[in-house]
């Protein structure tokens, strides 16, 4: 099918409406993708997972790319996020970890001292190039425009300094981040060294992903919401801004996302990220106001709405679109990742509703 009939000012030939929306350019309809779109809720993923561990999938480009592509195509979304994990850079930094079923990530020797931070390596980021290889395969698969003339966007991702440091220091998921904050408050120089080392590795890792074909980099600061505005500003803003600016200078838009961030959005915007990801607790229009008019936003349906009856879910999807109004720069997403047990049909329906109700909004 010729793609020419789809060309117009809102959709130049071969362009990606997802990338255009990240840059606040007008689009033919609101683009949509979903956090954790390739996760355990999906039977196709579980079938692969039966034979391979999570880390095996991440470290095998053939499998990681297949999982990425299958999820994007099954759902009909406008962007594919590479299948990887936030914690992969720990290995070349010299910090061993594993994923324990039902428990999440476990770092066996958590980072608790300045000496340990000094021993972390920053010169082996090239060992992560299996992720770039997976991105190359995804980019090759999606290089041609789809039936509607749109080229699917490819998202690479990295963690932000606070969120990654919290896993390193706590040794896993945390409720109160006591050890992380103890180190942050108690040894400022050590904290700064740790965040600087993370930024060095993350920029190199993001650069590999961009070179391999990532159109956009999302920076996950999932647990930044655990910080007060004052602590975020004092201990995280500088390193995160440095990271955002260095990734932007690779030539791609940056999406910066965290959970429970309503109080932080204005400060997070100071990082100069092109797009702020909104969690579901903040009404989208209020979140956008806090982010400011020079910023695009991504979000923000509550992922648990995907368990609701169809009429409730449809109403909530329309509400998110209505709160975005007709401003350019909205990417439809969830306010956090899809959880295991989510009915796949509801996920597919949600994407269809965004396509239907998100048309010609600008
Ligand atoms: O399509 C996708 O989005 C999947 C790719 C992806 C994974 N991890 C694979 C994964 C992405 C984008 C991530 C990012 C990630 N990893 C984050 C940030 C996103 C967020 O939710 O805020 C975080 C905090 C991590 C660290 C991590 N990885 C945790 C805390 C866990 C355990 C929690 C859980 O959901 O079980 C993981 C495991 C993990 N990473 C899974 C997947 C699909 C599930 C476990 C599995 O398949 O065995």
């Amino acid at each position: 099918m010729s793609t020419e009939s789809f060309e117009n000012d809102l959709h130049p030939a071969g362009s990606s409406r997802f990338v255009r929306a990240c840059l606040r350019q007008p689009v033919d309809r609101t683009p949509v993708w979903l956090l954790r779109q390739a996760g355990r809720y999906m039977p196709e993923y579980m079938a692969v997972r039966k034979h391979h561990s999570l880390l095996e999938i991440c470290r095998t480009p053939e499998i990681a790319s297949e999982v990425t592509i299958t999820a994007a195509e099954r759902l009909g979304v406008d962007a594919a996020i590479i299948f990887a994990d936030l914690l992969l850079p720990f290995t070349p930094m010299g910090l061993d970890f594993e994923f324990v079923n039902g428990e999440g990530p476990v770092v066996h020797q958590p980072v608790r001292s300045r000496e340990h931070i000094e021993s972390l390596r920053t010169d082996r980021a090239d060992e992560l190039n299996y992720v770039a290889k997976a991105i190359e395969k995804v980019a090759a698969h999606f290089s041609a425009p789809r039936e509607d003339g749109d080229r699917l966007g490819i998202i690479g991702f990295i963690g932000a300094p606070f969120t990654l440091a919290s896993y390193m220091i706590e040794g896993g998921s945390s409720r109160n981040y006591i050890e992380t904050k103890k180190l942050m408050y108690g040894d400022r120089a050590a904290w700064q060294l740790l965040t600087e080392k993370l930024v060095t590795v993350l920029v190199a890792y993001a650069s590999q992903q961009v070179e391999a074909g990532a159109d956009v980099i999302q920076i996950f600061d999932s647990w930044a919401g655990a910080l007060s505005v004052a602590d975020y500003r004092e201990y995280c803003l500088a390193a995160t801004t440095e990271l955002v600016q260095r990734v932007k200078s690779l030539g791609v838009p940056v999406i910066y996302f965290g959970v429970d961030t309503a109080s932080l959005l204005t400060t997070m915007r100071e990082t100069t990220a092109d797009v702020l990801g909104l969690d579901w607790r903040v009404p989208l229009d209020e979140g956008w106001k806090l982010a400011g008019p020079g910023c695009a936003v991504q979000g923000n349906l509550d992922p648990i709405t995907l368990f609701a009856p169809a009429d409730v879910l449809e109403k909530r999807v329309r509400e998110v679109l209505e709160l975005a109004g007709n401003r350019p720069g909205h990417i439809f997403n969830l306010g956090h990742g899809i959880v295991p047990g989510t009915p796949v049909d509801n996920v597919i329906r949600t994407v269809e509703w965004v396509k239907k109700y998100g048309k010609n909004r600008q």
Side-chain angles (χ1 to χ4, degrees):
M1 189 196 293
S2 159
T3 57
E4 277 167 38
S5 55
F6 297 99
E7 273 184 56
N8 58 48
D9 289 349
L10 297 181
H11 197 207
S15 68
S16 159
R17 62 173 70 86
F18 163 69
V19 175
R20 286 178 60 82
C22 289
L23 298 168
R24 288 183 300 118
Q25 293 166 352
V27 287
D28 57 343
R29 69 163 168 79
T30 305
V32 52
W33 71 279
L34 303 170
L35 292 166
R36 289 274 165 116
Q37 65 193 25
R40 281 167 298 176
Y41 77 100
M42 191 176 260
E44 289 85 343
Y45 174 71
M46 289 315 284
V48 175
R49 191 67 180 75
K50 226 166 121 182
H51 303 287
H52 305 279
S53 71
L54 176 60
L55 285 175
E56 253 168 43
I57 300 174
C58 292
R59 290 174 178 155
T60 313
E62 290 72 25
I63 309 180
S65 57
E66 186 202 305
V67 167
T68 305
I69 292 165
T70 303
E73 290 185 339
R74 173 95 200 266
L75 301 180
V77 286
D78 297 306
I81 184 162
I82 190 63
F83 193 90
D85 196 84
L86 234 46
L87 307 192
L88 299 175
F90 287 10
T91 308
M93 292 183 81
L95 198 61
D96 285 334
F97 72 97
E98 63 178 321
F99 286 103
V100 180
N101 273 342
E103 242 185 87
V106 178
V107 176
H108 294 293
Q109 287 185 300
V111 173
R112 298 280 165 89
S113 68
R114 188 190 292 222
E115 294 68 39
H116 196 168
I117 292 169
E118 281 166 355
S119 77
L120 294 172
R121 295 191 46 173
T122 57
D123 58 343
R124 296 194 296 204
D126 54 334
E127 288 177 15
L128 295 166
N129 75 356
Y130 52 85
V131 175
K133 287 196 177 132
I135 290 177
E136 273 171 20
K137 290 181 183 296
V138 175
H141 182 86
F142 289 123
S143 61
R146 298 179 288 168
E147 269 189 8
D148 68 353
D150 186 71
R151 194 180 57 76
L152 202 105
I154 296 166
I155 307 170
F157 72 89
I158 54 178
F162 175 77
T163 293
L164 287 184
S166 83
Y167 281 109
M168 284 184 158
I169 298 167
E170 303 294 335
S173 302
S174 178
R175 194 176 181 76
N176 293 316
Y177 302 91
I178 293 171
E179 296 300 329
T180 309
K181 291 185 182 183
K182 261 165 67 181
L183 194 131
M184 195 175 87
Y185 297 133
D187 190 344
R188 206 187 164 110
W191 173 257
Q192 195 173 328
L193 180 63
L194 178 57
T195 56
E196 278 168 9
K197 284 190 163 192
L198 281 165
V199 169
T200 301
V201 173
L202 293 167
V203 170
Y205 179 36
S207 161
Q208 294 162 18
Q209 297 186 49
V210 171
E211 220 167 283
D215 298 300
V216 170
I217 295 287
Q218 172 144 332
I219 300 180
F220 284 96
D221 209 352
S222 304
W223 316 131
L227 294 162
S228 67
V229 176
D231 282 345
Y232 178 83
R233 186 171 278 289
E234 187 160 346
Y235 297 103
C236 299
L237 181 60
T240 312
T241 303
E242 160 102 17
L243 178 63
V244 169
Q245 291 184 341
R246 288 175 65 186
V247 175
K248 276 173 74 172
S249 76
L250 300 169
V252 292
V254 166
I255 305 172
Y256 181 37
F257 167 78
V259 181
D260 220 346
T261 54
S263 57
L264 290 176
L265 288 169
T266 312
T267 318
M268 287 170 75
R269 171 63 191 133
E270 291 181 36
T271 61
T272 73
D274 301 273
V275 186
L276 284 187
L278 305 177
D279 74 82
W280 72 94
R281 293 178 178 86
V282 65
L284 187 130
D285 56 341
E286 285 177 33
W288 207 338
K289 215 175 186 175
L290 293 166
C295 186
V297 297
Q298 177 173 279
N300 75 341
L301 184 75
D302 179 350
I304 309 306
T305 318
L306 293 166
F307 289 86
D311 57 326
V312 176
L313 177 56
E314 183 177 12
K315 181 164 161 265
R316 288 287 185 253
V317 169
R318 296 187 73 163
E319 276 169 13
V320 168
L321 289 167
E322 273 152 27
L323 291 175
N326 55 10
R327 294 170 276 193
H330 174 227
I331 299 134
F332 190 100
N333 206 316
L334 306 173
H336 201 186
I338 304 178
V339 304
T342 299
V344 178
D345 285 351
N346 281 353
V347 181
I348 292 171
R349 274 192 192 133
T350 296
V351 172
E352 282 167 0
W353 283 322
V354 177
K355 289 180 177 175
K356 179 173 165 193
Y357 299 122
K359 248 189 204 129
N360 300 320
R361 301 189 72 85
Q362 287 137 33

